[in-house]
mmCIF file of all heavy atoms in Angstrom:
data_model
loop_
_atom_site.group_PDB
_atom_site.id
_atom_site.type_symbol
_atom_site.label_atom_id
_atom_site.label_comp_id
_atom_site.label_asym_id
_atom_site.label_seq_id
_atom_site.Cartn_x
_atom_site.Cartn_y
_atom_site.Cartn_z
ATOM 1 N N PRO A 1 113.485 93.846 92.660
ATOM 2 C CA PRO A 1 113.708 93.603 94.081
ATOM 3 C C PRO A 1 113.862 94.906 94.864
ATOM 4 O O PRO A 1 114.834 95.622 94.701
ATOM 5 C CB PRO A 1 115.013 92.791 94.102
ATOM 6 C CG PRO A 1 115.730 93.199 92.851
ATOM 7 C CD PRO A 1 114.658 93.516 91.844
ATOM 8 N N HIS A 2 112.904 95.181 95.680
ATOM 9 C CA HIS A 2 112.933 96.360 96.534
ATOM 10 C C HIS A 2 112.490 95.966 97.944
ATOM 11 O O HIS A 2 111.666 95.087 98.135
ATOM 12 C CB HIS A 2 111.916 97.415 96.066
ATOM 13 C CG HIS A 2 112.391 98.277 94.949
ATOM 14 N ND1 HIS A 2 113.659 98.786 94.875
ATOM 15 C CD2 HIS A 2 111.732 98.741 93.866
ATOM 16 C CE1 HIS A 2 113.778 99.526 93.786
ATOM 17 N NE2 HIS A 2 112.628 99.501 93.159
ATOM 18 N N TRP A 3 113.019 96.649 98.900
ATOM 19 C CA TRP A 3 112.439 96.669 100.247
ATOM 20 C C TRP A 3 111.874 98.058 100.487
ATOM 21 O O TRP A 3 112.432 99.052 100.054
ATOM 22 C CB TRP A 3 113.509 96.398 101.309
ATOM 23 C CG TRP A 3 113.831 94.962 101.520
ATOM 24 C CD1 TRP A 3 114.948 94.310 101.109
ATOM 25 C CD2 TRP A 3 113.039 93.992 102.207
ATOM 26 N NE1 TRP A 3 114.907 92.999 101.488
ATOM 27 C CE2 TRP A 3 113.749 92.768 102.162
ATOM 28 C CE3 TRP A 3 111.797 94.027 102.838
ATOM 29 C CZ2 TRP A 3 113.261 91.594 102.736
ATOM 30 C CZ3 TRP A 3 111.308 92.855 103.411
ATOM 31 C CH2 TRP A 3 112.041 91.662 103.362
ATOM 32 N N TRP A 4 110.758 98.120 101.206
ATOM 33 C CA TRP A 4 110.237 99.406 101.680
ATOM 34 C C TRP A 4 110.120 99.328 103.188
ATOM 35 O O TRP A 4 109.730 98.324 103.746
ATOM 36 C CB TRP A 4 108.825 99.688 101.139
ATOM 37 C CG TRP A 4 108.671 99.520 99.680
ATOM 38 C CD1 TRP A 4 109.574 99.827 98.695
ATOM 39 C CD2 TRP A 4 107.537 98.970 99.009
ATOM 40 N NE1 TRP A 4 109.077 99.518 97.471
ATOM 41 C CE2 TRP A 4 107.830 99.000 97.622
ATOM 42 C CE3 TRP A 4 106.303 98.485 99.423
ATOM 43 C CZ2 TRP A 4 106.930 98.536 96.670
ATOM 44 C CZ3 TRP A 4 105.411 98.033 98.482
ATOM 45 C CH2 TRP A 4 105.722 98.056 97.122
ATOM 46 N N TRP A 5 110.463 100.407 103.859
ATOM 47 C CA TRP A 5 110.237 100.511 105.297
ATOM 48 C C TRP A 5 109.275 101.652 105.565
ATOM 49 O O TRP A 5 109.440 102.754 105.026
ATOM 50 C CB TRP A 5 111.544 100.785 106.053
ATOM 51 C CG TRP A 5 112.393 99.578 106.239
ATOM 52 C CD1 TRP A 5 112.360 98.688 107.268
ATOM 53 C CD2 TRP A 5 113.432 99.124 105.361
ATOM 54 N NE1 TRP A 5 113.306 97.709 107.083
ATOM 55 C CE2 TRP A 5 113.973 97.949 105.924
ATOM 56 C CE3 TRP A 5 113.946 99.585 104.153
ATOM 57 C CZ2 TRP A 5 115.012 97.238 105.339
ATOM 58 C CZ3 TRP A 5 114.975 98.879 103.554
ATOM 59 C CH2 TRP A 5 115.488 97.728 104.143
ATOM 60 N N HIS A 6 108.288 101.366 106.393
ATOM 61 C CA HIS A 6 107.342 102.398 106.815
ATOM 62 C C HIS A 6 107.336 102.424 108.324
ATOM 63 O O HIS A 6 107.358 101.383 108.979
ATOM 64 C CB HIS A 6 105.933 102.083 106.301
ATOM 65 C CG HIS A 6 104.842 102.687 107.133
ATOM 66 N ND1 HIS A 6 104.679 104.051 107.265
ATOM 67 C CD2 HIS A 6 103.874 102.111 107.885
ATOM 68 C CE1 HIS A 6 103.635 104.282 108.056
ATOM 69 N NE2 HIS A 6 103.141 103.125 108.444
ATOM 70 N N ARG A 7 107.319 103.613 108.882
ATOM 71 C CA ARG A 7 107.254 103.732 110.328
ATOM 72 C C ARG A 7 106.508 105.000 110.672
ATOM 73 O O ARG A 7 106.650 106.020 109.988
ATOM 74 C CB ARG A 7 108.666 103.769 110.924
ATOM 75 C CG ARG A 7 108.679 103.703 112.435
ATOM 76 C CD ARG A 7 110.059 103.371 112.951
ATOM 77 N NE ARG A 7 111.060 104.309 112.478
ATOM 78 C CZ ARG A 7 112.352 104.075 112.558
ATOM 79 N NH1 ARG A 7 112.804 102.940 113.036
ATOM 80 N NH2 ARG A 7 113.213 104.974 112.132
ATOM 81 N N PRO A 8 105.689 104.958 111.717
ATOM 82 C CA PRO A 8 105.005 106.180 112.138
ATOM 83 C C PRO A 8 106.002 107.275 112.479
ATOM 84 O O PRO A 8 107.181 107.021 112.709
ATOM 85 C CB PRO A 8 104.215 105.730 113.379
ATOM 86 C CG PRO A 8 104.095 104.244 113.245
ATOM 87 C CD PRO A 8 105.350 103.800 112.546
ATOM 88 N N ARG A 9 105.518 108.526 112.524
ATOM 89 C CA ARG A 9 106.399 109.653 112.817
ATOM 90 C C ARG A 9 107.047 109.528 114.188
ATOM 91 O O ARG A 9 108.174 109.950 114.387
ATOM 92 C CB ARG A 9 105.623 110.972 112.725
ATOM 93 C CG ARG A 9 105.268 111.323 111.287
ATOM 94 C CD ARG A 9 104.579 112.679 111.238
ATOM 95 N NE ARG A 9 104.264 113.035 109.860
ATOM 96 C CZ ARG A 9 105.101 113.631 109.039
ATOM 97 N NH1 ARG A 9 106.313 113.922 109.440
ATOM 98 N NH2 ARG A 9 104.752 113.933 107.801
ATOM 99 N N GLU A 10 106.326 108.981 115.162
ATOM 100 C CA GLU A 10 106.905 108.783 116.480
ATOM 101 C C GLU A 10 107.724 107.504 116.459
ATOM 102 O O GLU A 10 107.194 106.418 116.244
ATOM 103 C CB GLU A 10 105.799 108.680 117.550
ATOM 104 C CG GLU A 10 105.030 109.987 117.737
ATOM 105 C CD GLU A 10 105.936 111.101 118.215
ATOM 106 O OE1 GLU A 10 106.814 110.823 119.055
ATOM 107 O OE2 GLU A 10 105.769 112.239 117.764
ATOM 108 N N LEU A 11 109.026 107.608 116.674
ATOM 109 C CA LEU A 11 109.887 106.441 116.615
ATOM 110 C C LEU A 11 109.600 105.522 117.787
ATOM 111 O O LEU A 11 109.523 105.962 118.935
ATOM 112 C CB LEU A 11 111.355 106.863 116.645
ATOM 113 C CG LEU A 11 111.831 107.687 115.451
ATOM 114 C CD1 LEU A 11 113.301 108.022 115.639
ATOM 115 C CD2 LEU A 11 111.619 106.958 114.146
ATOM 116 N N PRO A 12 109.416 104.222 117.530
ATOM 117 C CA PRO A 12 109.185 103.280 118.617
ATOM 118 C C PRO A 12 110.483 102.975 119.344
ATOM 119 O O PRO A 12 111.570 103.273 118.844
ATOM 120 C CB PRO A 12 108.680 102.030 117.874
ATOM 121 C CG PRO A 12 109.345 102.092 116.550
ATOM 122 C CD PRO A 12 109.450 103.578 116.227
ATOM 123 N N PRO A 13 110.388 102.366 120.505
ATOM 124 C CA PRO A 13 111.607 101.970 121.200
ATOM 125 C C PRO A 13 112.415 101.012 120.356
ATOM 126 O O PRO A 13 111.874 100.236 119.566
ATOM 127 C CB PRO A 13 111.073 101.277 122.470
ATOM 128 C CG PRO A 13 109.666 101.765 122.618
ATOM 129 C CD PRO A 13 109.171 102.029 121.237
ATOM 130 N N ALA A 14 113.739 101.079 120.497
ATOM 131 C CA ALA A 14 114.595 100.178 119.736
ATOM 132 C C ALA A 14 114.316 98.741 120.141
ATOM 133 O O ALA A 14 114.062 98.433 121.297
ATOM 134 C CB ALA A 14 116.067 100.530 119.988
ATOM 135 N N GLY A 15 114.326 97.855 119.184
ATOM 136 C CA GLY A 15 114.068 96.452 119.475
ATOM 137 C C GLY A 15 113.824 95.684 118.209
ATOM 138 O O GLY A 15 113.742 96.240 117.129
ATOM 139 N N PRO A 16 113.670 94.365 118.314
ATOM 140 C CA PRO A 16 113.564 93.520 117.131
ATOM 141 C C PRO A 16 112.163 93.423 116.554
ATOM 142 O O PRO A 16 111.976 92.750 115.548
ATOM 143 C CB PRO A 16 114.032 92.160 117.663
ATOM 144 C CG PRO A 16 113.600 92.170 119.094
ATOM 145 C CD PRO A 16 113.765 93.602 119.562
ATOM 146 N N SER A 17 111.153 94.010 117.193
ATOM 147 C CA SER A 17 109.779 93.845 116.729
ATOM 148 C C SER A 17 109.584 94.486 115.360
ATOM 149 O O SER A 17 110.188 95.497 115.032
ATOM 150 C CB SER A 17 108.806 94.470 117.737
ATOM 151 O OG SER A 17 109.021 95.851 117.831
ATOM 152 N N GLY A 18 108.724 93.875 114.568
ATOM 153 C CA GLY A 18 108.448 94.397 113.240
ATOM 154 C C GLY A 18 107.376 93.571 112.567
ATOM 155 O O GLY A 18 106.979 92.514 113.047
ATOM 156 N N LEU A 19 106.923 94.052 111.432
ATOM 157 C CA LEU A 19 105.867 93.393 110.680
ATOM 158 C C LEU A 19 106.239 93.419 109.213
ATOM 159 O O LEU A 19 106.597 94.466 108.680
ATOM 160 C CB LEU A 19 104.527 94.125 110.893
ATOM 161 C CG LEU A 19 103.326 93.597 110.120
ATOM 162 C CD1 LEU A 19 102.941 92.208 110.623
ATOM 163 C CD2 LEU A 19 102.140 94.554 110.275
ATOM 164 N N VAL A 20 106.194 92.280 108.552
ATOM 165 C CA VAL A 20 106.485 92.185 107.129
ATOM 166 C C VAL A 20 105.168 92.067 106.369
ATOM 167 O O VAL A 20 104.333 91.218 106.692
ATOM 168 C CB VAL A 20 107.388 90.974 106.811
ATOM 169 C CG1 VAL A 20 107.600 90.852 105.300
ATOM 170 C CG2 VAL A 20 108.716 91.096 107.523
ATOM 171 N N ILE A 21 104.986 92.934 105.373
ATOM 172 C CA ILE A 21 103.777 92.939 104.557
ATOM 173 C C ILE A 21 104.182 92.733 103.104
ATOM 174 O O ILE A 21 105.044 93.444 102.587
ATOM 175 C CB ILE A 21 103.006 94.264 104.702
ATOM 176 C CG1 ILE A 21 102.592 94.485 106.161
ATOM 177 C CG2 ILE A 21 101.779 94.294 103.782
ATOM 178 C CD1 ILE A 21 101.971 95.840 106.424
ATOM 179 N N PHE A 22 103.567 91.762 102.427
ATOM 180 C CA PHE A 22 103.855 91.506 101.027
ATOM 181 C C PHE A 22 102.804 92.172 100.153
ATOM 182 O O PHE A 22 101.621 92.177 100.475
ATOM 183 C CB PHE A 22 103.870 89.997 100.754
ATOM 184 C CG PHE A 22 105.078 89.299 101.307
ATOM 185 C CD1 PHE A 22 105.076 88.797 102.600
ATOM 186 C CD2 PHE A 22 106.218 89.152 100.534
ATOM 187 C CE1 PHE A 22 106.195 88.158 103.116
ATOM 188 C CE2 PHE A 22 107.339 88.520 101.037
ATOM 189 C CZ PHE A 22 107.321 88.021 102.325
ATOM 190 N N HIS A 23 103.266 92.747 99.018
ATOM 191 C CA HIS A 23 102.379 93.396 98.060
ATOM 192 C C HIS A 23 102.435 92.648 96.737
ATOM 193 O O HIS A 23 103.518 92.282 96.271
ATOM 194 C CB HIS A 23 102.790 94.857 97.847
ATOM 195 C CG HIS A 23 102.638 95.705 99.076
ATOM 196 N ND1 HIS A 23 101.522 96.441 99.346
ATOM 197 C CD2 HIS A 23 103.481 95.922 100.120
ATOM 198 C CE1 HIS A 23 101.673 97.091 100.482
ATOM 199 N NE2 HIS A 23 102.853 96.786 100.979
ATOM 200 N N ASP A 24 101.292 92.429 96.138
ATOM 201 C CA ASP A 24 101.213 91.738 94.856
ATOM 202 C C ASP A 24 101.578 92.707 93.739
ATOM 203 O O ASP A 24 100.932 93.740 93.551
ATOM 204 C CB ASP A 24 99.789 91.203 94.654
ATOM 205 C CG ASP A 24 99.712 90.243 93.482
ATOM 206 O OD1 ASP A 24 100.332 90.520 92.436
ATOM 207 O OD2 ASP A 24 99.006 89.222 93.610
ATOM 208 N N VAL A 25 102.619 92.388 92.976
ATOM 209 C CA VAL A 25 103.101 93.287 91.941
ATOM 210 C C VAL A 25 102.041 93.530 90.872
ATOM 211 O O VAL A 25 101.962 94.614 90.290
ATOM 212 C CB VAL A 25 104.411 92.743 91.322
ATOM 213 C CG1 VAL A 25 104.167 91.466 90.545
ATOM 214 C CG2 VAL A 25 105.063 93.781 90.440
ATOM 215 N N ALA A 26 101.198 92.523 90.602
ATOM 216 C CA ALA A 26 100.164 92.682 89.577
ATOM 217 C C ALA A 26 99.143 93.746 89.981
ATOM 218 O O ALA A 26 98.699 94.550 89.155
ATOM 219 C CB ALA A 26 99.468 91.347 89.323
ATOM 220 N N VAL A 27 98.795 93.761 91.254
ATOM 221 C CA VAL A 27 97.832 94.759 91.746
ATOM 222 C C VAL A 27 98.433 96.156 91.668
ATOM 223 O O VAL A 27 97.783 97.113 91.215
ATOM 224 C CB VAL A 27 97.417 94.425 93.197
ATOM 225 C CG1 VAL A 27 96.548 95.545 93.770
ATOM 226 C CG2 VAL A 27 96.679 93.092 93.241
ATOM 227 N N LEU A 28 99.689 96.308 92.094
ATOM 228 C CA LEU A 28 100.345 97.612 92.052
ATOM 229 C C LEU A 28 100.515 98.101 90.613
ATOM 230 O O LEU A 28 100.319 99.276 90.318
ATOM 231 C CB LEU A 28 101.698 97.547 92.745
ATOM 232 C CG LEU A 28 101.683 97.375 94.265
ATOM 233 C CD1 LEU A 28 103.105 97.259 94.789
ATOM 234 C CD2 LEU A 28 100.964 98.530 94.933
ATOM 235 N N THR A 29 100.878 97.192 89.725
ATOM 236 C CA THR A 29 101.077 97.565 88.328
ATOM 237 C C THR A 29 99.785 98.080 87.710
ATOM 238 O O THR A 29 99.794 99.048 86.937
ATOM 239 C CB THR A 29 101.605 96.363 87.529
ATOM 240 O OG1 THR A 29 102.854 95.952 88.077
ATOM 241 C CG2 THR A 29 101.809 96.727 86.067
ATOM 242 N N GLU A 30 98.678 97.455 88.055
ATOM 243 C CA GLU A 30 97.383 97.893 87.527
ATOM 244 C C GLU A 30 97.057 99.313 87.966
ATOM 245 O O GLU A 30 96.524 100.114 87.194
ATOM 246 C CB GLU A 30 96.285 96.924 87.987
ATOM 247 C CG GLU A 30 94.912 97.222 87.409
ATOM 248 C CD GLU A 30 93.871 96.216 87.840
ATOM 249 O OE1 GLU A 30 94.220 95.225 88.509
ATOM 250 O OE2 GLU A 30 92.685 96.425 87.511
ATOM 251 N N LYS A 31 97.405 99.644 89.205
ATOM 252 C CA LYS A 31 97.167 101.003 89.702
ATOM 253 C C LYS A 31 98.125 102.008 89.080
ATOM 254 O O LYS A 31 97.780 103.162 88.826
ATOM 255 C CB LYS A 31 97.324 101.032 91.235
ATOM 256 C CG LYS A 31 96.282 100.250 92.002
ATOM 257 C CD LYS A 31 96.564 100.331 93.497
ATOM 258 C CE LYS A 31 95.548 99.558 94.301
ATOM 259 N NZ LYS A 31 95.842 99.619 95.769
ATOM 260 N N LEU A 32 99.356 101.552 88.845
ATOM 261 C CA LEU A 32 100.397 102.453 88.358
ATOM 262 C C LEU A 32 100.251 102.826 86.892
ATOM 263 O O LEU A 32 100.544 103.957 86.499
ATOM 264 C CB LEU A 32 101.778 101.792 88.537
ATOM 265 C CG LEU A 32 102.451 101.871 89.893
ATOM 266 C CD1 LEU A 32 103.695 101.009 89.870
ATOM 267 C CD2 LEU A 32 102.809 103.305 90.232
ATOM 268 N N LEU A 33 99.836 101.875 86.088
ATOM 269 C CA LEU A 33 99.911 102.041 84.641
ATOM 270 C C LEU A 33 99.292 103.337 84.128
ATOM 271 O O LEU A 33 99.923 104.049 83.322
ATOM 272 C CB LEU A 33 99.283 100.839 83.937
ATOM 273 C CG LEU A 33 99.482 100.792 82.424
ATOM 274 C CD1 LEU A 33 100.971 100.819 82.079
ATOM 275 C CD2 LEU A 33 98.821 99.546 81.833
ATOM 276 N N PRO A 34 98.090 103.729 84.571
ATOM 277 C CA PRO A 34 97.522 104.979 84.047
ATOM 278 C C PRO A 34 98.343 106.221 84.408
ATOM 279 O O PRO A 34 98.303 107.223 83.702
ATOM 280 C CB PRO A 34 96.133 105.029 84.701
ATOM 281 C CG PRO A 34 95.833 103.644 85.130
ATOM 282 C CD PRO A 34 97.162 103.044 85.489
ATOM 283 N N ILE A 35 99.093 106.147 85.515
ATOM 284 C CA ILE A 35 99.856 107.301 85.984
ATOM 285 C C ILE A 35 101.189 107.425 85.244
ATOM 286 O O ILE A 35 101.618 108.519 84.890
ATOM 287 C CB ILE A 35 100.114 107.195 87.507
ATOM 288 C CG1 ILE A 35 98.795 106.998 88.260
ATOM 289 C CG2 ILE A 35 100.841 108.436 88.018
ATOM 290 C CD1 ILE A 35 98.983 106.655 89.738
ATOM 291 N N VAL A 36 101.833 106.291 85.000
ATOM 292 C CA VAL A 36 103.219 106.324 84.511
ATOM 293 C C VAL A 36 103.374 105.879 83.057
ATOM 294 O O VAL A 36 104.492 105.813 82.552
ATOM 295 C CB VAL A 36 104.120 105.445 85.408
ATOM 296 C CG1 VAL A 36 104.034 105.901 86.854
ATOM 297 C CG2 VAL A 36 103.769 103.965 85.281
ATOM 298 N N GLU A 37 102.278 105.609 82.385
ATOM 299 C CA GLU A 37 102.375 105.103 81.018
ATOM 300 C C GLU A 37 103.177 106.034 80.115
ATOM 301 O O GLU A 37 103.990 105.596 79.299
ATOM 302 C CB GLU A 37 100.971 104.892 80.441
ATOM 303 C CG GLU A 37 100.954 104.120 79.143
ATOM 304 C CD GLU A 37 99.547 103.742 78.716
ATOM 305 O OE1 GLU A 37 98.578 104.265 79.310
ATOM 306 O OE2 GLU A 37 99.427 102.928 77.797
ATOM 307 N N GLY A 38 102.950 107.354 80.263
ATOM 308 C CA GLY A 38 103.699 108.311 79.455
ATOM 309 C C GLY A 38 105.182 108.303 79.770
ATOM 310 O O GLY A 38 106.024 108.461 78.875
ATOM 311 N N MET A 39 105.532 108.104 81.046
ATOM 312 C CA MET A 39 106.942 108.082 81.445
ATOM 313 C C MET A 39 107.681 106.897 80.849
ATOM 314 O O MET A 39 108.871 106.987 80.528
ATOM 315 C CB MET A 39 107.054 107.998 82.970
ATOM 316 C CG MET A 39 106.621 109.231 83.700
ATOM 317 S SD MET A 39 106.929 109.009 85.446
ATOM 318 C CE MET A 39 105.956 110.364 86.082
ATOM 319 N N GLN A 40 106.992 105.777 80.723
ATOM 320 C CA GLN A 40 107.637 104.577 80.211
ATOM 321 C C GLN A 40 108.252 104.826 78.830
ATOM 322 O O GLN A 40 109.288 104.280 78.492
ATOM 323 C CB GLN A 40 106.645 103.427 80.152
ATOM 324 C CG GLN A 40 106.248 102.906 81.531
ATOM 325 C CD GLN A 40 105.150 101.865 81.443
ATOM 326 O OE1 GLN A 40 103.970 102.176 81.457
ATOM 327 N NE2 GLN A 40 105.552 100.614 81.339
ATOM 328 N N LYS A 41 107.602 105.653 78.057
ATOM 329 C CA LYS A 41 108.098 105.944 76.715
ATOM 330 C C LYS A 41 109.335 106.839 76.757
ATOM 331 O O LYS A 41 110.190 106.771 75.883
ATOM 332 C CB LYS A 41 107.003 106.613 75.891
ATOM 333 C CG LYS A 41 105.757 105.748 75.723
ATOM 334 C CD LYS A 41 104.633 106.519 75.046
ATOM 335 C CE LYS A 41 103.370 105.683 74.959
ATOM 336 N NZ LYS A 41 102.227 106.436 74.382
ATOM 337 N N LEU A 42 109.421 107.677 77.793
ATOM 338 C CA LEU A 42 110.532 108.624 77.898
ATOM 339 C C LEU A 42 111.744 108.053 78.623
ATOM 340 O O LEU A 42 112.882 108.433 78.338
ATOM 341 C CB LEU A 42 110.074 109.885 78.636
ATOM 342 C CG LEU A 42 108.972 110.725 77.979
ATOM 343 C CD1 LEU A 42 108.517 111.822 78.938
ATOM 344 C CD2 LEU A 42 109.480 111.327 76.676
ATOM 345 N N PHE A 43 111.500 107.148 79.584
ATOM 346 C CA PHE A 43 112.551 106.731 80.500
ATOM 347 C C PHE A 43 112.810 105.225 80.496
ATOM 348 O O PHE A 43 113.209 104.659 81.513
ATOM 349 C CB PHE A 43 112.232 107.204 81.918
ATOM 350 C CG PHE A 43 111.915 108.672 82.012
ATOM 351 C CD1 PHE A 43 110.747 109.110 82.617
ATOM 352 C CD2 PHE A 43 112.774 109.617 81.473
ATOM 353 C CE1 PHE A 43 110.451 110.460 82.691
ATOM 354 C CE2 PHE A 43 112.486 110.967 81.542
ATOM 355 C CZ PHE A 43 111.321 111.394 82.153
ATOM 356 N N SER A 44 112.591 104.576 79.366
ATOM 357 C CA SER A 44 112.974 103.179 79.204
ATOM 358 C C SER A 44 113.463 102.993 77.775
ATOM 359 O O SER A 44 113.155 103.793 76.890
ATOM 360 C CB SER A 44 111.812 102.227 79.506
ATOM 361 O OG SER A 44 110.767 102.400 78.575
ATOM 362 N N ALA A 45 114.216 101.928 77.557
ATOM 363 C CA ALA A 45 114.847 101.715 76.250
ATOM 364 C C ALA A 45 113.908 101.078 75.232
ATOM 365 O O ALA A 45 114.295 100.832 74.106
ATOM 366 C CB ALA A 45 116.092 100.856 76.409
ATOM 367 N N GLY A 46 112.664 100.808 75.654
ATOM 368 C CA GLY A 46 111.701 100.225 74.722
ATOM 369 C C GLY A 46 110.952 99.075 75.348
ATOM 370 O O GLY A 46 111.331 98.530 76.388
ATOM 371 N N THR A 47 109.838 98.689 74.749
ATOM 372 C CA THR A 47 109.000 97.605 75.256
ATOM 373 C C THR A 47 109.805 96.322 75.391
ATOM 374 O O THR A 47 110.544 95.928 74.499
ATOM 375 C CB THR A 47 107.817 97.366 74.305
ATOM 376 O OG1 THR A 47 107.098 98.588 74.152
ATOM 377 C CG2 THR A 47 106.890 96.298 74.870
ATOM 378 N N GLY A 48 109.652 95.685 76.558
ATOM 379 C CA GLY A 48 110.327 94.419 76.783
ATOM 380 C C GLY A 48 111.701 94.534 77.397
ATOM 381 O O GLY A 48 112.284 93.531 77.807
#
């Protein structure tokens, strides 16, 4: 469970407006795996 906030460098006026974007974890995981596969072995307690 994570939230991410993105905003342009120029801060918009204060107010309630906003946009929620959902990301599919399966798609992100597929992109991530080649980059972080080596880290998983160093920084996790094991598969599963």
Side-chain angles (χ1 to χ4, degrees):
H2 278 319
W3 278 106
W4 310 323
W5 282 271
H6 155 64
R7 188 165 56 195
R9 289 184 179 274
E10 293 298 321
L11 296 180
S17 63
L19 177 67
V20 176
I21 300 173
F22 287 89
H23 295 266
D24 191 318
V25 67
V27 173
L28 290 177
T29 299
E30 184 178 355
K31 293 179 180 179
L32 278 173
L33 189 57
I35 306 170
V36 303
E37 191 171 12
M39 291 184 194
Q40 290 174 271
K41 299 173 184 176
L42 297 172
F43 308 127
S44 65
T47 304

